[in-house]
Amino acid sequence: MGKTTCFGIIGLCILVSVGSAIAGLELGYYDESCPQAEKIVLEYVKKHIPNAPSLAATFIRMHFHDCFVRGCDASVLLNDTSNNQAAEKDAFPNLTLRGFGFIDAVKSLLEAECPGIVSCADVISLVARDSIVITGGPYWKVPTGRRDGTTSRSSEALSNIPSPFENFTSILTKFNNKGLNVQDLVLLSGAHTIGISHCSSFTNRLYNFTGRGDQDPSLDSEYAANLKARKCKTLNDNTTIVEMDPGSFRTFDLSYYTLLLKRRGLFQSDAALTTDSTSKQFITQLVHGPLPVFLEEFAKSMEKMGAVGVKTGTNGEIRKHCALVNG
């Protein structure tokens, strides 16, 4: 069952779930089959994430990339699954993903406690949420019961994951294809407040935007000059890392949106959010609103994304090792 709720920020109405069941998932799914499951995940996150807080951004990105290809089924963790065909993790958007060993370690603990019960898809979902919370970000509900997919294709990652080089229409289409709307696009992009990027994801905006050795005119010129002088000194820099929310990248706040309105979004896809009137209006209202409102709305969009295309019941499997299909 569901009901239509209008959120006050910009008056958008979306269908939200009532109760604990979302897309066949449920809160406390493992309460009987593996009562300690969520505690095991949380304790591991508590122990290790404070020593490597940048992993919080890594895991929310991993969760996002997983859900946008074949749904939230941990296909992003798989090695090639057939005929030596490249897997999702080998696709360009995922080459900078890390934290696979962390997920494997959590899965090993769960297998020791409850063999064959907790899916890798649920591990990603829980680790992403708990990592954000441990580093001071918002909490959101994570209903569980996802099952793991058995197919992973690099080509599908390329065609489904939004690119940092895309325009607004293209990005929104990919969100709409997953049942997500413009509000979700803006809110989920807000995770860039704790993000980092390699120069290769945006140096075209600095050095060769239209193929003529020019700079993206939509990028603030002072910010661009700073990036050229201090960070990405050449077009071909593939190693330097840049904060997506300079000066605030360890804090889950509204600074990212403030930068967008100053034309200081790092990616072309960030800047694209201000080219649509509805999206820009929402960003403006977020910036002028209280932080708790943003955090609450972000949590709701994360809950929606976490239910995209999930496999439940007898669909999929519960992998024993997250990188390998059973058998």
Side-chain angles (χ1 to χ4, degrees):
M1 294 292 291
K3 69 176 183 180
T4 300
T5 298
C6 296
F7 295 115
I9 298 178
I10 58 171
L12 287 181
C13 299
I14 63 175
L15 187 70
V16 297
S17 174
V18 178
S20 61
I22 300 176
L25 307 177
E26 59 182 287
L27 295 173
Y29 178 83
Y30 298 111
D31 284 355
E32 294 185 6
S33 59
C34 190
Q36 298 300 309
E38 294 193 28
K39 181 179 179 182
I40 289 170
V41 176
L42 179 59
E43 290 303 316
Y44 192 85
V45 169
K46 281 183 175 179
K47 181 178 180 180
H48 295 283
I49 289 298
N51 299 321
S54 64
L55 279 175
T58 292
F59 290 130
I60 201 168
R61 181 170 176 243
M62 179 186 287
H63 186 29
F64 177 85
H65 283 206
D66 181 46
C67 292
F68 265 66
V69 185
R70 292 182 170 264
C72 309
D73 68 348
S75 53
V76 73
L77 302 179
L78 281 172
N79 297 335
D80 59 313
T81 55
S82 62
N83 301 321
N84 295 316
Q85 187 177 55
E88 288 174 37
K89 63 169 61 171
D90 301 315
F92 180 76
N94 291 328
L95 292 179
T96 53
L97 281 183
R98 56 195 181 101
F100 295 106
F102 190 106
I103 298 295
D104 288 341
V106 174
K107 175 63 172 173
S108 294
L109 293 173
L110 292 166
E111 284 296 301
E113 177 76 13
C114 312
I117 299 297
V118 182
S119 69
C120 298
D122 279 341
V123 172
I124 295 177
S125 301
L126 291 166
V127 166
R129 191 272 309 278
D130 291 347
S131 297
I132 294 296
V133 173
I134 291 300
T135 52
Y139 174 92
W140 62 90
K141 298 173 185 174
V142 179
T144 44
R146 297 167 187 80
R147 289 171 64 85
D148 299 322
T150 57
T151 301
S152 183
R153 296 185 179 127
S154 172
S155 59
E156 293 180 352
L158 283 171
S159 61
N160 285 281
I161 296 172
S163 159
F165 309 106
E166 288 184 284
N167 62 33
F168 182 84
T169 300
S170 177
I171 298 168
L172 183 60
T173 296
K174 290 182 176 180
F175 270 72
N176 288 163
N177 288 343
K178 305 303 174 185
L180 302 171
N181 58 28
V182 63
Q183 184 184 33
D184 299 312
L185 167 56
V186 171
L187 289 164
L188 294 174
S189 296
H192 285 176
T193 186
I194 58 167
I196 57 175
S197 170
H198 288 86
C199 290
S200 55
S201 292
F202 61 88
T203 46
N204 67 307
R205 301 187 73 200
L206 301 176
Y207 295 104
N208 198 30
F209 187 60
T210 64
R212 302 175 183 175
D214 55 341
Q215 183 174 297
D216 183 352
S218 72
L219 182 63
D220 176 74
S221 58
E222 183 179 341
Y223 183 42
N226 182 281
L227 288 169
K228 287 180 177 179
R230 300 186 180 185
K231 296 292 184 178
C232 309
K233 298 181 180 180
T234 70
L235 173 64
N236 299 316
D237 185 338
N238 294 315
T239 56
T240 302
I241 291 174
V242 180
E243 300 168 9
M244 298 191 71
D245 187 359
S248 181
F249 85 107
R250 293 195 185 279
T251 306
F252 213 101
D253 57 19
L254 291 164
S255 178
Y256 164 77
Y257 296 117
T258 301
L259 292 174
L260 291 187
L261 296 178
K262 293 180 177 179
R263 300 190 298 119
R264 294 190 172 197
L266 197 59
F267 293 163
Q268 188 174 341
S269 57
D270 291 319
L273 296 179
T274 64
T275 64
D276 174 80
S277 59
T278 301
S279 173
K280 187 173 183 179
Q281 180 189 6
F282 188 23
I283 292 168
T284 301
Q285 293 184 13
L286 284 171
V287 167
H288 294 292
L291 177 61
V293 170
F294 161 58
L295 299 180
E296 179 182 351
E297 300 299 328
F298 175 84
K300 291 172 182 173
S301 287
M302 284 300 302
E303 290 166 15
K304 283 181 68 178
M305 189 194 77
V308 168
V310 295
K311 295 172 177 62
T312 59
T314 58
N315 292 326
E317 64 181 18
I318 305 298
R319 282 183 227 142
K320 296 176 182 177
H321 303 284
C322 290
L324 304 171
V325 173
N326 293 341

